Amino acid sequence: MRKIIVLWMVLMIVSLRAFADSKVSFTASAPDVVAVGDQFRLSYTVTTQKVRDFRAPSIKGFDVLMGPSRSQQKNVQVINGQTTSTSSITFTYILMATAEGSFTIPGATITAEGNQMVSNSVHVKVLPADNGGASGNSGRQSGSASRASSGTSVSNNDLFITATANKTNLYEQEALLLTYKIYTLVDLRGFDNVKLPDFKGFHSQEVELPNDRKWSLEHYKGRNYQTTVYRQFVLFPQQPGKITIDAARFDASIAKVTHVDDPFEAFFNGGSNYVEVKKTLMTPKLVVDVKALPDGKPSGFSGGVGEFSISSSINSTNVKTNDAVTVRLVISGTGNLKLISTPEVKFPEDFEVYDPKVDNKFRLTNAGLSGSQVIEYLAIPRNAGTYKIPAVKFSYFDIKSRTYKTLTTEEYELHVEKGSGNAAQTIANFTNKEDLKVLNEDIRYIKQNNVTLSQKGDFFFGSLAYWLFYIVPGIAFVLFFIVYRKQIAANANVAKMRTKKANKVAVKRMKLAGKLLADNKKDAFYDEVLKALWGYISDKLSIPVSRLSKDNVEGELRNYGVDDALIKDFLDALNNCEFARFAPGDDNQAMDKVYSDSLEVISKMENSIKH
């Protein structure tokens, strides 16, 4: 018995140690991109303090300015009465990039809790030195701002936005990716107003980007800029010819460092101060050459452009009359999946056929919509016999081969047996499913029971209740008709209905914004508040949102009798919402203020606009 207990204890100790060892990690980290002359940190972190024999790899392509310096960290947390602690040791080097290129720093080795471990390797891309004079820096604020032009002005080389298309020569319905990218050397706080083109001539879909945009260093025309992708759209041209993508406008807000002459203020502000600078950025127009699809389109061309495949299946080839038959088509691939027409499955004439059910299972990618479209066709056979469901042909234009392709599914032979019961008896040989009659449902047998008859007026016929039975519904119908006509007349005045419902729609949007505020979904919250504000004023003034701007909304509101103070409050609510989205500081406090201000201004506006 003792031997068993001792053996069990040894196994427990070994398993606990193995579990503890599995939790120890040893990782290396460094910036992905730096520039020649940049100084940066290379760190090795091990999640235990029982270490020895740390050995760094051979570091080539960089000058080692300092290191390794060793620092220890320990964190203790108490959650629901349970205490957990973590500890780690970090070995840090300060390196300087000396040559342009891509470099790999191998992993370091260390002995942690008695086990030898090797860290991951890191890859660092080194860009050329900035031609502006000062070297780059991996920190967005300090490095970029130090290379910008001096003074309170912002030049076109300090901040600009590019609009690029991944292709400018393509076929109609072929997807292209349009990217708006920010290049900055200054402290960009956000955009007060953004006006994108309407993409006339295209079917457009916006690519969903992460809420937390990642900034990276990029060498562009001799300068090292901090860059990030601001918006992306996948466009499908709908017509051949040269189509112009109009310029986009961005009203930027920049924090600019200025020198402080006052020695007292310089002491507290480090010799500098920040001023807000406004700058309007315009992207250049883009011209896309769209070629028409070649002649010779096959019959049944779906309008699909891309790369596709098709498959089919049937739930059963042996059924009984009045049983459902389901044919399932799956169109998979990448292209304009959302814009293709639904293929037709030709069922026999005396089948009862229902509208197909379409389930889209695709996602937006740089090459278009990728995934599958699942189409289910439901039909019910009414007669016994053997039938054929012909193959389905699906034609599309293949982007890679620049030719039309026709895909064919499987043909099915369907065996229908007579179902049980008289309900399955049918009168066949009708050319239209509406002519199909089911026996024992249209004709019922006459029941031969003794019936006792009464004289007129003895029971109901000719009585007061009899006449009220006709008069009351007639009066109700007349009243309903009058009210209904008034409602139709009111609904016909679309502008008036939108005005009436403006506050209701705005309140509904603000309720959704309140939920997003509670969930701390920052970008979605600000989007919903802006929709509520612009949508409310659009409905109230009976002016489409596309025709409203901060420049003309002031004049429109004044025409409707709104006083200047309330107009200013409304414009301030718009500006604060757009600015708070990108401004640093306490996000929750800013979101709460924007929410309360927007509710208040909508409430005041409801009682001020006069029609």
Side-chain angles (χ1 to χ4, degrees):
M1 187 67 181
R2 286 184 177 179
K3 292 182 178 179
I4 295 175
I5 293 174
V6 171
L7 179 61
W8 180 81
M9 292 179 65
V10 170
L11 290 174
M12 286 293 295
I13 293 171
V14 171
S15 61
L16 287 172
R17 181 170 181 177
F19 178 75
D21 290 344
S22 64
K23 294 169 61 177
V24 176
S25 63
F26 184 38
T27 56
S29 61
D32 295 330
V33 182
V34 296
V36 172
D38 277 359
Q39 298 178 17
F40 64 95
R41 293 176 181 269
L42 170 65
S43 300
Y44 296 93
T45 302
V46 58
T47 56
T48 180
Q49 295 193 0
K50 298 178 182 179
V51 300
R52 59 184 175 86
D53 300 335
F54 171 75
R55 295 182 181 178
S58 175
I59 301 175
K60 297 180 179 179
F62 305 97
D63 287 344
V64 179
L65 304 182
M66 189 189 77
S69 61
R70 172 172 170 160
S71 61
Q72 298 183 358
Q73 302 84 29
K74 190 168 185 178
N75 183 29
V76 179
Q77 288 184 330
V78 179
I79 302 175
N80 295 330
Q82 295 184 351
T83 303
T84 59
S85 64
T86 57
S87 60
S88 62
I89 295 178
T90 301
F91 300 88
T92 304
Y93 289 87
I94 303 297
L95 306 181
M96 185 174 72
T98 58
E100 177 186 353
S102 296
F103 300 90
T104 298
I105 302 175
T109 60
I110 199 171
T111 301
E113 297 189 354
N115 297 322
Q116 189 173 31
M117 304 181 70
V118 181
S119 74
N120 59 292
S121 59
V122 293
H123 304 279
V124 181
K125 182 179 181 181
V126 181
L127 303 177
D130 191 286
N131 290 341
S135 65
N137 194 296
S138 56
R140 180 188 166 204
Q141 304 296 332
S142 60
S144 297
S146 65
R147 303 193 307 274
S149 57
S150 59
T152 57
S153 63
V154 177
S155 72
N156 293 333
N157 292 326
D158 294 339
L159 173 65
F160 58 91
I161 298 178
T162 61
T164 56
N166 65 337
K167 59 182 80 169
T168 55
N169 291 279
L170 67 163
Y171 285 95
E172 56 180 315
Q173 297 293 344
E174 182 181 352
L176 70 88
L177 179 67
L178 177 66
T179 302
Y180 291 100
K181 193 172 185 180
I182 302 172
Y183 289 78
T184 181
L185 298 175
V186 295
D187 186 1
L188 174 64
R189 294 297 175 90
F191 298 109
D192 297 329
N193 184 43
V194 175
K195 186 176 181 181
L196 297 173
D198 57 6
F199 303 123
K200 187 177 180 180
F202 296 93
H203 172 79
S204 64
Q205 286 191 258
E206 185 168 4
V207 178
E208 187 175 349
L209 298 175
N211 291 331
D212 186 14
R213 292 187 178 89
K214 183 179 180 181
W215 292 82
S216 61
L217 198 64
E218 182 178 328
H219 192 77
Y220 184 82
K221 294 184 178 179
R223 304 299 303 273
N224 290 328
Y225 292 91
Q226 286 293 334
T227 66
T228 189
V229 174
Y230 179 68
R231 302 277 286 273
Q232 279 188 322
F233 297 87
V234 175
L235 306 179
F236 299 90
Q238 300 298 297
Q239 61 193 37
K242 293 186 181 297
I243 305 179
T244 300
I245 301 174
D246 293 330
R249 172 176 171 164
F250 300 83
D251 294 331
S253 177
I254 303 118
K256 192 76 169 163
V257 179
T258 59
H259 182 69
V260 177
D261 295 328
D262 185 353
F264 183 77
E265 187 177 353
F267 176 79
F268 289 99
N269 293 324
S272 60
N273 196 6
Y274 284 90
V275 295
E276 185 180 13
V277 179
K278 303 291 186 180
K279 183 175 178 62
T280 297
L281 309 174
M282 300 291 292
T283 62
K285 293 183 179 180
L286 294 177
V287 178
V288 179
D289 189 5
V290 181
K291 294 177 286 187
L293 293 177
D295 295 332
K297 296 177 182 177
S299 59
F301 175 61
S302 67
V305 176
E307 298 178 65
F308 303 106
S309 63
I310 188 171
S311 61
S312 68
S313 61
I314 190 170
N315 63 330
S316 177
T317 55
N318 294 281
V319 297
K320 294 182 179 181
T321 53
N322 299 321
D323 287 347
V325 176
T326 302
V327 175
R328 190 170 185 260
L329 295 183
V330 180
I331 302 172
S332 304
T334 301
N336 60 340
L337 270 170
K338 193 175 182 179
L339 304 177
I340 61 177
S341 58
T342 304
E344 181 184 2
V345 175
K346 295 182 179 179
F347 289 96
E349 288 184 350
D350 56 352
F351 277 39
E352 187 170 353
V353 182
Y354 295 85
D355 292 334
K357 176 185 175 183
V358 181
D359 184 14
N360 295 321
K361 298 180 178 179
F362 44 69
R363 57 188 175 85
L364 192 62
T365 67
N366 295 350
L369 295 168
S370 181
S372 62
Q373 187 179 84
V374 181
I375 312 163
E376 290 187 350
Y377 303 82
L378 179 67
I380 297 177
R382 296 301 189 187
N383 297 305
T386 299
Y387 303 91
K388 283 191 176 181
I389 300 176
V392 175
K393 291 186 177 181
F394 174 73
S395 299
Y396 70 97
F397 183 73
D398 184 70
I399 287 297
K400 283 191 174 180
S401 63
R402 302 297 198 221
T403 58
Y404 293 103
K405 289 188 176 181
T406 300
L407 307 177
T408 306
T409 64
E410 184 180 355
E411 181 185 76
Y412 297 105
E413 187 174 275
L414 189 63
H415 303 281
V416 181
E417 298 179 359
K418 181 180 177 181
S420 60
N422 292 331
Q425 298 176 7
T426 59
I427 300 175
N429 299 325
F430 286 88
T431 59
N432 196 317
K433 67 181 180 182
E434 283 76 16
D435 295 330
L436 193 64
K437 304 296 181 183
V438 180
L439 294 181
N440 298 334
E441 291 185 6
D442 290 345
I443 301 174
R444 301 295 181 186
Y445 292 103
I446 299 174
K447 294 182 179 180
Q448 298 178 351
N449 295 328
N450 293 327
V451 179
T452 302
L453 302 177
S454 299
Q455 273 191 339
K456 173 183 176 182
D458 288 350
F459 176 63
F460 179 73
F461 183 79
S463 64
L464 177 63
Y466 172 82
W467 292 111
L468 289 176
F469 182 79
Y470 285 98
I471 294 172
V472 171
I475 295 173
F477 175 77
V478 171
L479 293 175
F480 172 78
F481 182 76
I482 294 172
V483 173
Y484 183 67
R485 286 293 298 271
K486 288 183 178 180
Q487 187 65 36
I488 289 177
N491 290 340
N493 190 342
V494 178
K496 187 175 181 181
M497 290 300 296
R498 286 184 61 191
T499 300
K500 281 186 175 182
K501 296 179 180 179
N503 188 58
K504 183 178 179 181
V505 173
V507 169
K508 184 177 180 181
R509 283 173 172 161
M510 290 304 295
K511 284 184 179 179
L512 177 57
K515 293 180 181 179
L516 296 171
L517 171 63
D519 296 338
N520 200 25
K521 295 181 178 179
K522 180 180 177 182
D523 286 351
F525 165 77
Y526 287 121
D527 285 341
E528 200 61 36
V529 173
L530 284 173
K531 287 179 184 177
L533 291 170
W534 281 113
Y536 172 80
I537 211 66
S538 171
D539 292 340
K540 270 294 183 183
L541 303 183
S542 301
I543 300 174
V545 175
S546 59
R547 290 171 51 192
L548 285 176
S549 67
K550 294 177 186 176
D551 296 332
N552 65 8
V553 73
E554 182 177 357
E556 295 290 344
L557 287 173
R558 191 173 288 111
N559 292 338
Y560 278 85
V562 181
D563 62 80
D564 292 343
L566 185 54
I567 294 174
K568 183 178 182 301
D569 290 344
F570 180 79
L571 295 176
D572 288 344
L574 285 172
N575 291 330
N576 292 338
C577 181
E578 294 172 347
F579 186 76
R581 183 174 191 170
F582 300 96
D586 188 347
D587 287 344
N588 292 331
Q589 184 178 356
M591 291 165 70
D592 288 337
K593 187 176 186 308
V594 166
Y595 184 72
S596 60
D597 290 349
S598 300
L599 277 176
E600 183 180 358
V601 76
I602 290 175
S603 177
K604 290 181 179 178
M605 194 72 71
E606 182 67 15
N607 300 321
S608 298
I609 296 180
K610 301 174 184 177
H611 286 276

